[in-house]
Amino acid sequence: MDLGTVSDTRARVGFCSHVMLERMAAQALKAQNFLAAFKYADRRCRIGPSAAHCFVLRAEANWKLERREEALADLAEALLIDPSDLAANRRMLAWANDDRRQTAAVNLIGRDSNKAVLRAAIEELRRTGDRHWAACSVFDNHVTGWVAWTTANTIEVSLAIENGTLTSVLEPNPFHPLAGMEVHATAFLVRRPPSRTPQTLTLTCDGEIVQVRRLAPNLATPPDIRTDTDRSVAPRSGALASTVIVPVYRDVQATLDCFNSLIKARALAGRHPFRILAVDDATPEPELRRYLNELAATKTIDHLVNGTNLGFVGAINRALENIPAGDVVLLNSDTIVPPGFVERLATVAHSAPDIGTVTPLSNNGDIFSFPTPNDLNPMQSYENILEIDRVASIANAGDVIDVPSGIGFCLYITHDCLAAIGGLSENFERGYLEDVDLCLRARAKGFRNVCAPSIYVGHHGSKSFRHEKRSLVLRNLEILDRRFPDYRRECRAFEVADPLRPARARLDHALTWPPQPSVLILGNRRRLAAVAEERARHLRERGERAVLLLRERDVVHLKVADGSSPQAVQLGFGTEAAIAEAAGIIARLHPDRVEIIEPNPLPQLIELMRKLCLPINPWLTAGDLGKAVTSLPDETPFFASSKTAKAFAQTRWPNRKIVLQDWPTRPLTLAPIRGASQSLAIVPSAPSPASFRLIRRLAERLRQREPSRSIIIAGATCDDDCLMSYGNVFITGSVAADEIHDVLAPHNPGWLLTDFEEPAFGHPLLETARRASIPVAYRDWSAGSVKPRKGDLAIPADADDQGLIDTVIAWVGRA
């Protein structure tokens, strides 16, 4: 196999090394060996953790191989990981022919220093109607940058400081690298006086704001917004009404819905209604400005208006300065709140003197998300939000669960906590992780961050910044890592332990589940999970509601395939009481039949299904079935997903009725690459010692008999490094059925070997590979009853490894 510019054995050792793969991909690109570059970059993207530059490398190789759509998809993936990545944005600007060019140009304006790239970005944005562009870099003592424009007569740069504003008028510089026939440009430098409070830099063109940048204090210790001495005469925080702070910027409808829900909630708050403080953060939406002014005029809300956009941190801190006392709730303007949410958050907050922050459950709240954590669950209607909250208030009443930090979509903060730590840090870019920083500072002062799973708040998520979110998160994460280096590791441990799972399960269990009939799919979390998921996909395409029951040891996890409830409920079978509870849960799913995908399901589960008089359809997915399946009544038919599976089952269980129901299979068309050497592709079902040994011996024999032939393994093995130390083997890393074409096509496979281990039927990866457009070799589990296609190699099922290897090599050698 051609390994690009790296050919010696020592260089091949450690092929799983991320750095080595990246280096080899770059070297192959430089040597214009684009196929080798793709191989290295593709593997690097698959063995993770992947960074944006890994996908940029693969995009470059794909582009050179004239796989344009695949290259653009790689750039999109890179920008999903890091929207500010310069290499990905540069290529997107050069290669794309749609709106992605404009997005890339915007991303480059503020970050790139290459003048040729900046000129191209400006030209792209000028075609879309933009008239001015700017970028700046902030230092402790000054701010420097550039501004370019087309139609303005005057450019002003101003710095708002504690006791006034410093303003300068900028003149165009015809010698500036960004200046041209129709574009004026100039550089600027603004000195910053020392300050313990934030400063604001504003660039304007003919009175129109080009850029506003809030600058963190440039003296070491910013003042606390609140201090104990300031509030020495104030009553305890629990004795005063809380204030809900809502920064407002964009998204009219979501904001209107948020305030409507807030006003309804306050109307039902009793004798001590909370205060609503809206902060108009220089919204560009006239309808929002008008709406907030109307609410303020009728004294429905209190209202602050920022002359310029200060961002989330600036808006919140300004609001905190205007709150005399009491606890606060930070609330996003794209949330829907239920009645009583403030009072119940306050009850949790004051249930212990060391609680500093409280966060409720939400559909979109990272670790606080329900029903699936760390996922964007669907936003519910107002009525559904109220119902989920009502059920949560009963199912999880009194629960208080410690968490690493809260999240600002709805964050209750006690007065005592704020008095100890001050407001939000001004060192973060707007909108993300400053709430986490506040919670971690609170914890450092001895306060606890907790979740109140008895409260549920709806949250759209990312309405204000949309595509900027990922970039802002990454930038702010660097700051957070420096301050709290153990935080991310703690979060990973929390996600593994999942202390919120019992609360989610209780809520899941207590909700009203959909009344429509369902199909129960019995699978296994560790074995053949892909087959169970594939079957669920088939049923959903037919309009049926599929519920996965995935076994992990003696526990069965429920998961509705469409993402609705239940997602967190578990079934146990250790006691009679647990079995009775499992029966009640299954009855609530309204099952009309059970499909068994796992070859060896829990006998107690099968017995329960029989007691519930449910039709049972066992599918043949492996070469053997456990006693729980084979002991089903003789009249219970076995189901086969293909003619091969049916033929195998008829031989293995001749007295059992076998029902054929062909599963749909994705097409796999692999067109040959003209002039390129053809390889042998191997698609194993999963890493196993047996397949590793067979592939290793096959690689050795093929190197002896056909030294020009290479082997491409689409998947992973037990020891990738060992196999890739052979000069004729390359391993792509894990692949899914829907991406196998993109993985294999650049390798120019002329033959494909799959389904050569134990019998496996219905496996989406193997079934797709079996139907590839190139000749395919496989063990013939049908014992010759299913005729192979022309060119295919049906290997006898009882052939030993050596016989299989000899047969495959002779088959490849005949070409």
Side-chain angles (χ1 to χ4, degrees), residues 157-161 164-167 190-193 199-201 215:
V157 56
S158 62
L159 183 68
I161 57 179
T165 302
L166 305 175
T167 302
V190 178
R191 300 290 179 186
R192 296 184 63 192
Q199 300 168 341
T200 302
L201 180 79
L215 313 179

Side-chain angles (χ1 to χ4, degrees), residues 492-535:
R492 286 192 290 270
F494 184 91
E495 291 173 9
V496 171
D498 197 8
L500 290 173
R501 194 208 65 77
R504 290 197 311 274
R506 284 193 296 272
L507 175 53
D508 228 352
H509 190 280
L511 286 171
T512 301
W513 296 349
Q516 64 260 41
S518 64
V519 180
L520 307 184
I521 301 176
L522 276 54
N524 190 297
R525 272 193 165 187
R526 299 181 183 275
R527 297 182 62 248
L528 299 176
V531 182
E533 296 280 359
E534 180 75 358
R535 182 56 181 162

Side-chain angles (χ1 to χ4, degrees), residues 332-408:
N332 280 14
S333 62
D334 59 351
T335 56
I336 299 292
V337 298
F341 84 107
V342 173
E343 297 86 341
R344 287 183 283 144
L345 286 170
T347 299
V348 173
H350 296 286
S351 64
D354 60 347
I355 292 178
T357 74
V358 187
T359 307
L361 294 179
S362 175
N363 62 295
N364 180 18
D366 296 336
I367 62 172
F368 303 97
S369 292
F370 172 84
T372 306
N374 297 301
D375 198 4
L376 178 56
N377 299 286
M379 179 64 169
Q380 303 291 324
S381 66
Y382 179 71
E383 292 74 18
N384 286 347
I385 289 170
L386 265 58
E387 176 61 15
I388 295 172
D389 176 71
R390 183 192 67 79
V391 175
S393 69
I394 299 170
N396 293 322
D399 272 15
V400 179
I401 302 170
D402 284 270
V403 295
S405 70
I407 299 180

Side-chain angles (χ1 to χ4, degrees), residues 562-574:
D562 63 7
S564 61
S565 289
Q567 295 287 326
V569 173
Q570 295 180 351
L571 306 181
F573 297 89

Side-chain angles (χ1 to χ4, degrees), residues 453-582:
S454 58
I455 305 162
Y456 177 88
V457 170
H459 181 212
H460 286 287
S462 304
K463 286 284 183 177
S464 295
F465 304 129
R466 295 179 177 89
H467 302 299
E468 293 180 76
K469 176 180 178 179
R470 179 70 178 175
S471 181
L472 291 166
V473 167
L474 290 172
R475 206 176 310 169
N476 289 345
L477 198 54
E478 294 178 3
I479 301 171
L480 197 69
D481 281 343
R482 290 194 294 270
R483 293 185 174 187
F484 304 98
D486 295 330
Y487 174 67
R488 281 208 261 185
R489 183 164 54 250
E490 183 182 359
C491 286
R492 286 192 290 270
F494 184 91
E495 291 173 9
V496 171
D498 197 8
L500 290 173
R501 194 208 65 77
R504 290 197 311 274
R506 284 193 296 272
L507 175 53
D508 228 352
H509 190 280
L511 286 171
T512 301
W513 296 349
Q516 64 260 41
S518 64
V519 180
L520 307 184
I521 301 176
L522 276 54
N524 190 297
R525 272 193 165 187
R526 299 181 183 275
R527 297 182 62 248
L528 299 176
V531 182
E533 296 280 359
E534 180 75 358
R535 182 56 181 162
R537 183 179 69 86
H538 298 161
L539 295 176
R540 289 192 64 198
E541 289 177 351
R542 287 167 28 182
E544 296 189 81
R545 184 170 187 255
V547 181
L548 292 161
L549 278 67
L550 301 178
R551 180 170 72 91
E552 188 171 28
R553 297 186 176 90
D554 293 334
V555 175
V556 175
H557 302 260
L558 266 63
K559 176 183 175 184
V560 182
D562 63 7
S564 61
S565 289
Q567 295 287 326
V569 173
Q570 295 180 351
L571 306 181
F573 297 89
T575 64
E576 290 298 324
I579 293 174
E581 182 182 9

